[in-house]
Amino acid sequence: MSDVIRVSEIFGPTIQGEGALIGVPTVFVRTGGCDYRCVWCDSLHAVDSEYRHTWAPMRAGAVMDEVRRLSGGVPLTVTLSGGNPAIQPLGDLIALGRAEGYGFAMETQGSVARDWFSQLDMLVLSPKPPSSGMQTDWTLLQDCIDAAAGVRTVLKIVVFDEADFAYARDVAARHPGLPVYLQPGNHTPPPPEDDTATVDQDGIDARMRWLVDRVIAGRWHGATVLPQLHVMLWGNKRGV
Amino acid sequence: MSDVIRVSEIFGPTIQGEGALIGVPTVFVRTGGCDYRCVWCDSLHAVDSEYRHTWAPMRAGAVMDEVRRLSGGVPLTVTLSGGNPAIQPLGDLIALGRAEGYGFAMETQGSVARDWFSQLDMLVLSPKPPSSGMQTDWTLLQDCIDAAAGVRTVLKIVVFDEADFAYARDVAARHPGLPVYLQPGNHTPPPPEDDTATVDQDGIDARMRWLVDRVIAGRWHGATVLPQLHVMLWGNKRGV
């Protein structure tokens, strides 16, 4: 009997809206609970323990049943997100899915390493920049990279301002072998109980253009700059 | 002495706005002249012979000088676009650039194959769907794929409607080994002499959402769906 996974939501298929798999059809499995409290968190409903009552305890088989139902049994990439999915027992889910041809990409800040990272198809590490209010533990981040040896591992860093940009350059310099994806921050994240709240897309777009200019001016030709495409297309709406 | 290349414009660095390299810093070398006349062409200034007087005859060394100047001598990916760049003599340019560490991605409809395709880092084949008014010569498309043996080759297909979508599925079925990128068409392309003309971004976004829905409904989980990000961020403006 596998361990219980706390699940905030399972939705899709839709396209991945950001990072290395942007545009790829995927089902999201968003787990509940996080060891971080980023001030601009856009998924507080899966982070704040105030919403714990909305997180369903599910075993791996039940999660996979739902993924299979949503995808019509046609294998695709499953995105494990949160909260911090690394604090959940996801090894059995990955094993079950892979046996049926599903792939697994996981998004985590890199604060908790697990041996089952080695079974992923992609590990997206999103260490949090100064604007988040969080501190990066570089040893734990390295532990995550080591746990995913042989797995395609990339860095995705949210950038709000110059300090965040400098942080991103520092992270990249510490890990020259990892591809870097930069993403403009959303200063109008949805309140946990209102996903119809308005997004300041003009402001986000302006930050995206600034970030492109900043990367180009710095001749950082190895970085990839991408927006949150799902926010551009659907705003803060959930489940798309 | 290398052959003369007809150059419509060289600009950047900016980010690639579409397809497999979306978000990647790049300098564009847009050549003048095309064997196609797509009814919705968004680069008529580099296609229609009426604008031939704006195309500069340049040798490979001069093009590379400009690429080097724009990029500050820091190697990056050069995107060869058009018009149809395959009708230009680009082998020497690619050889010069690669010797300095630059990479080359080329975008072409796949109607003309050249032996120098084998020296590219990426070949993006964009066969044109029914809405373009053009006909695909499948033998020539295969010739292009064969010429790029060993090179990362992907398909990028613009989709306006159901007929285009069916065409895209047909192309993918003919070439199951090639990754497929789908892109919603822009029904408000810029007039060749006015890049400040307004784009119907709401209409394009609606088509993007329709295309995502269509791919998901068809369980086409291997396709990647991406918009023209540069149009979302900068409209029809050139040089960004």
Side-chain angles (χ1 to χ4, degrees):
Chain A
M1 185 77 82
S2 64
D3 294 328
V4 165
I5 303 165
R6 288 187 301 176
V7 176
S8 169
E9 52 186 339
I10 304 176
F11 64 93
T14 181
I15 55 169
Q16 170 60 266
E18 53 189 65
L21 297 179
I22 191 168
V24 172
T26 188
V27 166
F28 286 86
V29 175
R30 187 187 299 283
T31 62
C34 194
D35 48 320
Y36 271 28
R37 288 294 181 279
C38 300
V39 297
W40 36 250
C41 179
D42 63 0
S43 305
L44 263 184
H45 63 291
V47 168
D48 196 325
S49 52
E50 185 183 337
Y51 301 94
R52 193 188 187 94
H53 63 281
T54 68
W55 306 338
M58 298 175 74
R59 296 195 190 273
V63 174
M64 201 53 222
D65 285 348
E66 180 64 1
V67 168
R68 199 185 301 107
R69 185 184 73 77
L70 290 169
S71 61
V74 180
L76 47 53
T77 298
V78 177
T79 301
L80 306 171
S81 184
N84 183 2
I87 65 176
Q88 303 293 327
L90 297 175
D92 289 348
L93 171 63
I94 296 168
L96 279 175
R98 285 176 65 103
E100 295 181 28
Y102 288 78
F104 288 83
M106 190 171 84
E107 314 233 350
T108 178
Q109 59 263 48
S111 57
V112 177
R114 298 294 186 193
D115 55 5
W116 47 262
F117 285 8
S118 63
Q119 303 307 305
L120 293 164
D121 295 274
M122 178 181 283
L123 176 64
V124 180
L125 291 170
S126 295
K128 304 303 177 187
S131 64
S132 70
M134 298 293 114
Q135 291 277 336
T136 302
D137 184 318
W138 302 106
T139 302
L140 294 178
L141 185 65
Q142 186 62 52
D143 288 347
C144 289
I145 294 168
D146 294 344
V151 173
R152 187 177 168 201
T153 301
V154 302
L155 294 163
K156 184 178 68 179
I157 303 171
V158 171
V159 176
F160 277 84
D161 53 29
E162 280 291 340
D164 289 356
F165 187 79
Y167 171 88
R169 294 223 72 151
D170 180 38
V171 176
R174 289 169 182 265
H175 302 286
L178 300 184
V180 176
Y181 293 80
L182 303 178
Q183 176 175 303
N186 176 0
H187 54 285
T188 51
E193 296 179 78
D194 179 14
D195 76 349
T196 64
T198 303
V199 172
D200 175 23
Q201 193 59 51
D202 288 346
I204 297 170
D205 288 353
R207 183 173 293 115
M208 174 69 188
R209 287 186 290 263
W210 165 79
L211 186 53
V212 170
D213 289 345
R214 198 65 192 76
V215 164
I216 297 300
R219 306 281 186 209
W220 192 1
H221 297 161
T224 299
V225 190
L226 289 171
Q228 290 186 294
L229 185 55
H230 53 291
V231 178
M232 295 177 93
L233 291 169
W234 291 289
N236 277 327
K237 188 162 182 282
R238 283 196 207 137
V240 287
Chain B
M1 185 78 81
S2 64
D3 294 329
V4 165
I5 304 164
R6 286 187 301 175
V7 176
S8 168
E9 51 186 341
I10 304 176
F11 64 93
T14 181
I15 55 169
Q16 170 59 267
E18 53 188 66
L21 297 179
I22 191 168
V24 172
T26 189
V27 166
F28 286 86
V29 175
R30 188 188 297 284
T31 61
C34 194
D35 47 320
Y36 271 29
R37 288 295 182 279
C38 300
V39 297
W40 37 250
C41 179
D42 63 1
S43 306
L44 263 184
H45 62 291
V47 168
D48 195 325
S49 53
E50 186 183 337
Y51 301 95
R52 193 189 188 92
H53 64 281
T54 69
W55 306 338
M58 298 175 72
R59 297 195 189 275
V63 174
M64 201 52 223
D65 286 346
E66 180 64 0
V67 168
R68 198 185 301 108
R69 185 185 73 79
L70 289 169
S71 62
V74 180
L76 46 53
T77 299
V78 177
T79 302
L80 306 171
S81 185
N84 184 2
I87 64 177
Q88 303 293 326
L90 297 175
D92 289 347
L93 171 63
I94 296 168
L96 279 175
R98 284 176 65 103
E100 295 180 28
Y102 288 79
F104 288 84
M106 190 171 83
E107 314 234 349
T108 178
Q109 58 264 47
S111 57
V112 177
R114 298 292 185 196
D115 56 6
W116 47 261
F117 285 9
S118 63
Q119 303 306 306
L120 292 164
D121 295 275
M122 178 181 282
L123 177 64
V124 181
L125 291 169
S126 296
K128 304 303 177 187
S131 64
S132 69
M134 298 293 113
Q135 291 276 338
T136 302
D137 183 319
W138 302 106
T139 303
L140 294 178
L141 185 65
Q142 185 62 52
D143 288 347
C144 289
I145 294 168
D146 294 344
V151 173
R152 187 178 169 201
T153 301
V154 302
L155 294 163
K156 184 177 69 178
I157 303 173
V158 171
V159 177
F160 277 83
D161 53 28
E162 281 291 342
D164 289 356
F165 187 78
Y167 170 89
R169 293 222 72 151
D170 180 37
V171 176
R174 289 168 182 265
H175 302 286
L178 300 184
V180 176
Y181 293 80
L182 303 178
Q183 176 177 302
N186 176 0
H187 53 286
T188 52
E193 296 179 80
D194 179 15
D195 74 349
T196 65
T198 303
V199 173
D200 175 23
Q201 193 59 49
D202 288 346
I204 298 171
D205 288 353
R207 183 173 292 116
M208 174 69 189
R209 287 186 291 264
W210 165 80
L211 186 54
V212 170
D213 289 346
R214 198 67 193 74
V215 165
I216 297 301
R219 305 283 186 208
W220 191 1
H221 297 161
T224 299
V225 190
L226 289 172
Q228 290 186 293
L229 184 54
H230 52 292
V231 178
M232 295 178 91
L233 292 170
W234 291 288
N236 277 327
K237 187 162 183 285
R238 283 195 207 138
V240 287

